[in-house]
Amino acid sequence: LKAKYAAAALALGREPQPSLYVSCEFLIMEFIRALPQAPCMICAQPLLPPEPAGKAHVDVLLCGHWLHSRCLDRAITTPPWDKKCGKCGRALCHPRYPAPKVLEKRWA
């Protein structure tokens, strides 16, 4: 495995790095730098405010896309019940909420 990683790193023009470094670099680039400026897929506002004065609640859908908790709540608990993720087209699903059919029955 180390040999495969070293060969892949050299093919990309990089020096081989320990795998923990690569994992940390990914987490830093994806979540610490990119996530705060990423827009909510429903309201298009940045996920996190520029000045962290208050609490900002964000959630991740089962498809992996992020949005504000209040936007998720409003989108999942109001009709129409077959809403899709704005980025990948999969159904809006989150473990905190029941299936759309259950929500629809509760609404009626």
Side-chain angles (χ1 to χ4, degrees), residues 95-107:
R96 191 171 60 230
Y97 297 93
K101 297 266 185 209
V102 174
L103 289 167
E104 186 174 3
K105 284 180 183 177
R106 286 182 187 170
W107 181 268

Side-chain angles (χ1 to χ4, degrees), residues 4-24:
K4 278 187 174 181
Y5 178 75
L10 289 173
L12 292 173
R14 298 181 180 166
E15 288 294 316
Q17 302 287 331
S19 62
L20 185 58
Y21 175 81
V22 174
S23 298
C24 290

Side-chain angles (χ1 to χ4, degrees), residues 4-45:
K4 278 187 174 181
Y5 178 75
L10 289 173
L12 292 173
R14 298 181 180 166
E15 288 294 316
Q17 302 287 331
S19 62
L20 185 58
Y21 175 81
V22 174
S23 298
C24 290
E25 183 181 43
F26 169 78
L27 291 172
I28 289 168
M29 295 305 290
E30 287 294 315
F31 296 105
I32 295 176
R33 289 192 182 154
L35 187 62
Q37 292 119 15
C40 171
M41 57 169 247
I42 293 177
C43 70
Q45 297 296 315

Side-chain angles (χ1 to χ4, degrees), residues 3 5-6 13 21 28 34 37-38 42 46 58-59 62 69 82 84 87 94 108:
Y5 178 75
Y21 175 81
I28 289 168
Q37 292 119 15
I42 293 177
V58 295
D59 278 304
L62 292 179
S69 295
D82 59 347
K84 307 285 185 207
K87 293 196 179 210
H94 191 277

